[in-house]
Amino acid sequence: MPDPGLEQTQRWLQAFILAPEVDDQAAEAGRLVLPSLTLTALERAGVYRDMYLSRLVEALESDYPSLLHYLGQEAFHDLAARYLELHPSRSYTLNRLGDSLPEFIGKLEDLPKREFLQDLARLELALTEVFDEEESPVLTQEAIAAVPPEAWQTAHLQPIAAFRLRSFRYPVSAYLGAVDEENAFPLIRRKNTCVVAYRRQFQVQRLDLQPPAYELLTALASGSPVGEAVEKSHVREKDLFEWFREWTAEGLFQSVSGWN
């Protein structure tokens, strides 16, 4: 039997794994795969086919542990299977396999607590995004001290790459914290929540924000000058200094510009 070559074998195995039915692949399996002492050629190839969906579901489980916790394993696997039918893996890596899951959940009219689950998925997606972002330099206290007080009015603060701001309709940050055993589980009812997700010293973090702090940080992250952002947010001076100390201590910014 002529050697089919690596590329042809790989293309057949991919088609076999993804095909809805395997009956038409039996003859080709016998040509490309050797049987073992206990398995036919089709059964040996079927091991990879059977494990494929399981591996994709495992990847989604690792990215959405709080969603898995709320739904339970069976319901989560059903959701994942429905999602993967429309959003199959199309990359060599599974890191971004679940990027469309929050949007997908938002369209499922038969899913109980859909809005809460969509918010929970949005938060977990933001955490995976900052996990995969490139490392940025962090704004130092020396760089902050070098800015004259009068220059802050027109200065711009650049957030680090591993930085995501999100607002939610439900207390999903509290729920995630309860899953991680940081606090008690919240009531699943509407409660506006604002969160910044970021990576600090190679650890993914999240910080709950008061609405004015969220508005201010959003304005700064979008490129507004510090003076303009503060004015629009109507922030008290005491809060401004407290938040700024916390944000710089957490390494949310990488540079300050526009003042010299």
Side-chain angles (χ1 to χ4, degrees):
M1 181 176 67
D3 183 353
L6 178 61
E7 181 178 353
Q8 181 182 342
T9 302
Q10 289 176 325
R11 290 186 179 279
W12 172 80
L13 183 58
Q14 181 186 39
F16 173 76
I17 289 172
L18 298 178
E21 302 292 340
V22 300
D23 294 345
D24 295 338
Q25 305 288 337
E28 195 71 1
R31 192 173 74 86
L32 298 176
V33 181
L34 293 174
S36 71
L37 294 176
T38 57
L39 297 175
T40 67
L42 189 61
E43 288 171 338
R44 290 191 72 191
V47 172
Y48 295 93
R49 176 183 170 85
D50 294 341
M51 290 301 298
Y52 177 69
L53 179 60
S54 295
R55 180 65 190 95
L56 297 185
V57 173
E58 286 175 1
L60 294 176
E61 286 180 349
S62 66
D63 285 343
Y64 294 96
S66 296
L67 190 63
L68 170 63
H69 181 276
Y70 184 86
L71 290 173
Q73 193 167 59
E74 184 177 349
F76 183 90
H77 284 201
D78 289 344
L79 174 67
R82 294 174 66 182
Y83 170 74
L84 291 168
E85 285 184 8
L86 294 179
H87 301 276
S89 174
R90 300 190 184 279
S91 172
Y92 70 94
T93 174
L94 298 181
N95 286 7
R96 309 299 347 142
L97 177 65
D99 282 3
S100 298
L101 186 57
E103 181 183 0
F104 176 78
I105 289 173
K107 297 177 181 178
L108 296 180
E109 297 183 0
D110 61 338
L111 185 65
K113 295 289 186 181
R114 177 182 58 176
E115 291 184 347
F116 165 73
L117 293 174
Q118 183 182 31
D119 272 3
L120 189 59
R122 287 179 57 231
L123 175 56
E124 295 197 291
L125 174 60
L127 295 174
T128 67
E129 289 175 344
V130 300
F131 177 84
D132 284 337
E133 274 289 2
E134 63 183 39
E135 190 70 12
S136 300
V138 175
L139 183 63
T140 64
Q141 290 299 319
E142 290 76 13
I144 295 171
V147 182
E150 66 276 7
W152 280 105
Q153 190 73 13
T154 58
H156 294 261
L157 287 164
Q158 175 67 32
I160 58 175
F163 173 98
R164 297 292 187 276
L165 275 167
R166 298 290 185 267
S167 62
F168 306 98
R169 299 155 292 183
Y170 288 84
V172 289
S173 183
Y175 188 88
L176 191 150
V179 173
D180 291 339
E181 300 182 349
E182 297 171 0
N183 49 257
F185 284 96
L187 295 175
I188 308 303
R189 62 186 183 189
R190 280 184 174 269
K191 181 181 179 182
N192 292 338
T193 305
C194 304
V195 179
V196 57
Y198 59 102
R199 194 179 65 242
R200 178 175 181 244
Q201 296 177 347
F202 303 101
Q203 294 291 323
V204 174
Q205 310 279 355
R206 71 184 190 285
L207 183 64
D208 292 353
L209 302 171
Q210 301 174 33
Y214 173 79
E215 292 176 11
L216 174 60
L217 193 52
T218 298
L220 294 173
S222 66
S224 295
V226 173
E228 179 183 315
V230 171
E231 184 177 352
K232 288 183 177 180
S233 301
H234 304 290
V235 178
R236 295 183 304 175
E237 184 173 309
K238 176 184 176 182
D239 291 335
L240 174 63
F241 286 108
E242 181 180 334
W243 295 339
F244 188 70
R245 279 196 298 269
E246 181 177 33
W247 296 343
T248 54
E250 291 299 310
L252 299 189
F253 304 110
Q254 59 176 296
S255 64
V256 57
S257 61
W259 61 272
N260 56 6

